[in-house]
Amino acid sequence: MGLDVVWGGSLYAAGSKNKEFGFSFLTGLELKAPVFGGVELVAQSGKSSVRGSAVRLFHTVSLNKNFLYNLTEKIQVGLTVELARFAIDDGNSYVAVLNEIKPVVAVNIALF
């Protein structure tokens, strides 16, 4: 069974004067699941765009499935479907199923 390390990130700004830039980054593993095939188990860290919010490390763990189309040998575009999410937010925790679908651009980088 092969495991691959995955990571990614985003930077965003809110449209209000009372808000500022936010960012998020994720790190995790790509693995094979019995029903879904290749999935990613990732932990997310980041800071919301609300002024004065703290950077939170590994506050969300999710199981994602990617549907990607190859543009080139190294670049893919498509959608990420969040199959399940467990989050801890200011002492409150929750579990969500099929929580989010978002566009994604994937770049394959070989370090070795």
Side-chain angles (χ1 to χ4, degrees), residues 1-7 27-32 39-42 108:
M1 179 173 118
L3 295 176
D4 291 324
V5 175
V6 295
W7 53 270
T27 185
L29 297 173
E30 182 177 14
L31 48 100
K32 299 285 183 198
V39 295
E40 295 176 347
L41 181 63
V42 296
N108 297 319

Side-chain angles (χ1 to χ4, degrees), residues 6 30 68 70 72-76 105-111:
V6 295
E30 182 177 14
L68 300 172
N70 293 334
T72 68
E73 185 178 310
K74 301 265 184 191
I75 300 173
Q76 302 169 313
V105 175
V107 179
N108 297 319
I109 301 171
L111 298 176

Side-chain angles (χ1 to χ4, degrees), residues 3 9 14 20 24 29 37 44 47 51 56 69 73 91 106-107:
L3 295 176
E20 56 190 18
S24 68
L29 297 173
Q44 186 173 346
K47 178 187 181 311
R51 187 175 304 277
R56 297 178 299 155
Y69 172 77
E73 185 178 310
V107 179

Side-chain angles (χ1 to χ4, degrees), residues 71-83:
L71 289 179
T72 68
E73 185 178 310
K74 301 265 184 191
I75 300 173
Q76 302 169 313
V77 296
L79 296 173
T80 295
V81 177
E82 191 175 76
L83 302 172

Side-chain angles (χ1 to χ4, degrees), residues 81-93:
V81 177
E82 191 175 76
L83 302 172
R85 171 189 280 200
F86 173 72
I88 300 171
D89 188 18
D90 296 330
N92 298 318
S93 59

